[in-house]
Amino acid sequence: NRLRARAFAQYRRDNFVEAEALYRESLGFSTWDVASVEGMARSTARLGRFPEAIAWAELAVERNPRSAATYRVLGDVWRQAGHDDQALRVYRRGLRRHPNDRWLRQRIRELSAR
């Protein structure tokens, strides 16, 4: 998806407003594009719109619970919002489904060390 690729490029450039717009446009073509849903979650979180970001991230998990990445995104958004306890619960839930995911394990270690 070219729009998603352009959105990701804007996100990497810290242009979160443009990234959000491109992810939203991408979702106009395919509402089930979980990568674009994750992008919406990350972009809106970086813009400080945490309730909306959490809703997008929860939608990503709902649409693809078989992906460890969706749990990482949801946990990361909770963490950015300042809710480490909720982030830890999400990471652990993801790890129960994906016991070999090293990134979930790393995030749990980071939060548990505090």
Side-chain angles (χ1 to χ4, degrees):
N1 181 316
R2 289 183 184 159
L3 283 171
R4 188 176 61 223
R6 288 177 45 212
F8 183 68
Q10 291 302 315
Y11 182 87
R12 289 187 56 153
R13 290 184 186 106
D14 294 338
N15 188 350
F16 308 117
V17 171
E18 183 64 20
E20 177 193 9
L22 289 165
Y23 281 125
R24 193 175 300 279
E25 188 176 348
S26 176
L27 286 167
F29 291 100
S30 175
T31 59
W32 280 89
D33 179 9
V34 175
S36 290
V37 173
E38 291 173 350
M40 285 295 295
R42 289 193 182 280
S43 297
T44 53
R46 293 299 298 263
L47 292 167
R49 298 190 339 243
F50 296 111
E52 182 180 352
I54 289 165
W56 282 111
E58 287 176 343
L59 180 62
V61 169
E62 179 184 309
R63 290 196 175 161
N64 193 4
R66 292 186 179 111
S67 169
T70 60
Y71 291 94
R72 289 192 305 263
V73 170
L74 179 56
D76 291 350
V77 170
W78 275 112
R79 198 170 173 183
Q80 283 179 289
H83 297 278
D84 289 355
D85 56 335
Q86 186 63 29
L88 192 55
R89 279 194 284 278
V90 169
Y91 294 145
R92 286 181 175 151
R93 191 174 84 203
L95 193 61
R96 282 193 299 275
R97 290 191 65 108
H98 308 282
N100 297 321
D101 189 87
R102 68 183 178 125
W103 298 108
L104 286 169
R105 287 185 185 283
Q106 179 180 337
R107 284 165 169 84
I108 291 168
R109 276 194 305 275
E110 290 170 359
L111 286 176
S112 298
R114 290 182 176 194

